[in-house]
Amino acid sequence: MNALFRFLTLVTYSLLSWNISFGEVFNTSKSFDLLCLPQYIDHIKEDTRFAALCADSVFVSNIADVNSNCSASKLCNLYSELHGDKDDISRCLFTVQHLDSLARDVEWAKDILSVQPQLSYILQKLVENGYSEYWDNTIYPKLQSHIDGYNLNKNLLNNIRQSLTDFFSPEFLSDTQSKIFILDIENAFNLSDESFCCTPLILNLEIEKQLRLNFMNIYIHENLHNLYLSPELMEKLCNLDSDPFYRSNEDIAQKHGEGRNEAFVVAAEVYISNNLGIRDNQSVFDEFSQYVDGSLVLAPIIYVNLPNRMPNESYNNFLIRLFDSGILKSGVIMDNYNNAMKDIQSKIR
């Protein structure tokens, strides 16, 4: 099915499905915030009800064990895959206490299961010390204030949705609106059900400017993590480890918790954002130069070649073609990266 046909058949439905109550775009989740808290334990250290707990050596030791084996994003993803209740703390605790049986068949969750007793202990102690009431009276009002104060551009959101639909073609992007959970965290990460979690800081216009990106960039980025990437493509990517320039930059990216397929997503996000006018050419250059210390060196190469993506060619197959044609090949990455960045810089006015 080509892009034109998809446009004709889906545009009306897509726009109708997205002209909904935009008050439902942003959500909160007491359970997700609780699961994120081990990674963001500093957020509660100044509150008197948690002061003694955060000074307890056993509690601190358990926090360290959990954080060394799993991240907030992985915990929330596992909880989401298990269809955990997003707001009921007692159900959240029950799920965590029974992870050894509920998630024993989830291959990627082994590190989490290895610290399940410590995680269960931490969350139980937090709840016993009043976390639920603390969230209701302190966290939720703060998050809701950010949500209420954000001027959501509904037309742009509709345009983004259409652009994502076109970019995913011939794959199918779910017609269900992605849920956006605003949490008491300092980053953003996607969930496997096409929703994602995000810091409230990105809903602040001044902070948006300081961070060189905005909520719409993040929204596009996290949705693009749902693109299909085949084992064949990932094998070709692994073969680039023999390229010294790529490998040295990949090491930097992985120290930031990024790397591997992240360059594919960043290239696509910047391309869509530029086409929509969310990013100008200076922003494109800055993103590739500065994001993760500029270590995603494949991203600008992919970006400058995206106009050559063929009709009805999936993004996965387009990327495979870049490998097969020698554009993404061990030994040429540094030259192609430098040429791509020069090309991008030449368009800055």
Side-chain angles (χ1 to χ4, degrees):
M1 185 186 297
N2 61 38
L4 177 59
F5 181 75
R6 285 183 61 83
F7 176 80
L8 293 174
T9 55
L10 293 178
V11 65
T12 301
Y13 180 75
S14 176
L15 292 177
L16 286 175
S17 66
W18 270 69
N19 284 323
I20 60 171
S21 170
F22 281 87
E24 298 173 1
V25 170
F26 299 112
N27 304 265
T28 59
S29 169
K30 185 187 293 189
S31 297
F32 280 157
D33 268 320
L34 178 62
L35 292 169
C36 290
L37 202 51
Q39 186 172 326
Y40 294 99
I41 198 67
D42 287 345
H43 288 194
I44 64 168
K45 281 186 175 180
E46 301 305 316
D47 191 279
T48 54
R49 79 194 84 190
F50 303 114
L53 185 61
C54 290
D56 182 84
S57 60
V58 175
F59 182 79
V60 172
S61 175
N62 279 289
I63 288 283
D65 287 344
V66 168
N67 288 340
S68 65
N69 284 275
C70 57
S71 62
S73 62
K74 286 190 174 181
L75 281 173
C76 290
N77 261 288
L78 180 59
Y79 189 71
S80 181
E81 285 201 12
L82 296 174
H83 306 291
D85 189 283
K86 303 296 192 296
D87 297 298
D88 190 318
I89 287 292
S90 62
R91 291 186 181 182
C92 180
L93 281 177
F94 178 87
T95 299
V96 170
Q97 290 164 353
H98 295 83
L99 280 179
D100 51 346
S101 59
L102 294 173
R104 63 175 177 267
D105 297 325
V106 181
E107 182 66 25
W108 60 266
K110 286 185 177 180
D111 287 344
I112 298 175
L113 295 181
S114 71
V115 290
Q116 183 270 337
Q118 294 95 317
L119 179 63
S120 180
Y121 171 83
I122 292 167
L123 302 191
Q124 184 67 52
K125 286 294 183 181
L126 288 167
V127 172
E128 287 176 359
N129 281 268
Y131 181 77
S132 184
E133 296 79 12
Y134 170 78
W135 189 90
D136 289 339
N137 299 321
T138 304
I139 300 301
Y140 175 75
K142 178 178 69 174
L143 299 179
Q144 194 60 49
S145 175
H146 280 280
I147 292 170
D148 291 342
Y150 186 72
N151 184 19
L152 184 65
N153 187 330
K154 302 174 186 178
N155 290 331
L156 179 56
L157 200 59
N158 274 324
N159 291 339
I160 287 172
R161 175 65 179 189
Q162 186 58 56
S163 293
L164 286 168
T165 298
D166 292 342
F167 195 88
F168 269 69
S169 176
E171 295 176 33
F172 182 71
L173 177 65
S174 172
D175 291 310
T176 303
Q177 176 189 318
S178 299
K179 285 190 175 181
I180 303 157
F181 290 96
I182 304 299
L183 305 180
D184 188 31
I185 59 178
E186 296 167 8
N187 63 350
F189 54 85
N190 68 304
L191 300 175
S192 57
D193 64 355
E194 297 190 12
S195 57
F196 68 94
C197 303
C198 183
T199 172
L201 299 178
I202 208 63
L203 300 182
N204 182 297
L205 292 177
E206 290 305 313
I207 293 178
E208 277 187 349
K209 295 174 184 176
Q210 295 172 23
L211 296 176
R212 298 180 296 100
L213 80 171
N214 56 44
F215 165 74
M216 295 300 184
N217 295 131
I218 289 179
Y219 180 80
I220 296 169
H221 180 107
E222 299 302 338
N223 272 278
L224 287 167
H225 270 289
N226 295 302
L227 281 162
Y228 172 70
L229 302 177
S230 66
E232 178 188 0
L233 173 62
M234 297 310 293
E235 182 179 353
K236 290 178 182 295
L237 180 63
C238 288
N239 290 338
L240 286 184
D241 285 344
S242 60
D243 185 293
F245 178 72
Y246 169 78
R247 186 63 254 176
S248 63
N249 279 283
E250 180 67 11
D251 289 342
I252 296 171
Q254 292 190 11
K255 286 179 182 178
H256 286 274
E258 301 291 356
R260 289 307 181 197
N261 66 305
E262 187 70 11
F264 300 158
V265 173
V266 170
E269 180 272 304
V270 173
Y271 181 76
I272 291 173
S273 294
N274 181 253
N275 285 343
L276 288 170
I278 301 173
R279 290 187 184 276
D280 59 16
N281 290 324
Q282 182 67 61
S283 174
V284 170
F285 183 82
D286 290 344
E287 183 70 4
F288 292 143
S289 301
Q290 300 173 26
Y291 183 62
V292 199
D293 292 335
S295 59
L296 302 180
V297 294
L298 301 187
I301 302 173
I302 296 167
Y303 173 84
V304 298
N305 281 279
L306 263 167
N308 300 323
R309 182 180 169 189
M310 296 186 297
N312 202 37
E313 182 178 37
S314 71
Y315 189 49
N316 180 80
N317 290 345
F318 162 74
L319 292 171
I320 288 177
R321 185 159 59 85
L322 293 186
F323 280 96
D324 291 344
S325 66
I327 293 172
L328 297 178
K329 183 180 71 172
S330 181
V332 302
I333 300 302
M334 182 168 67
D335 286 343
N336 287 348
Y337 166 79
N338 288 333
N339 289 335
M341 292 298 282
K342 288 178 183 176
D343 180 60
I344 295 166
Q345 192 171 31
S346 70
K347 296 176 182 177
I348 299 173
R349 297 290 183 266

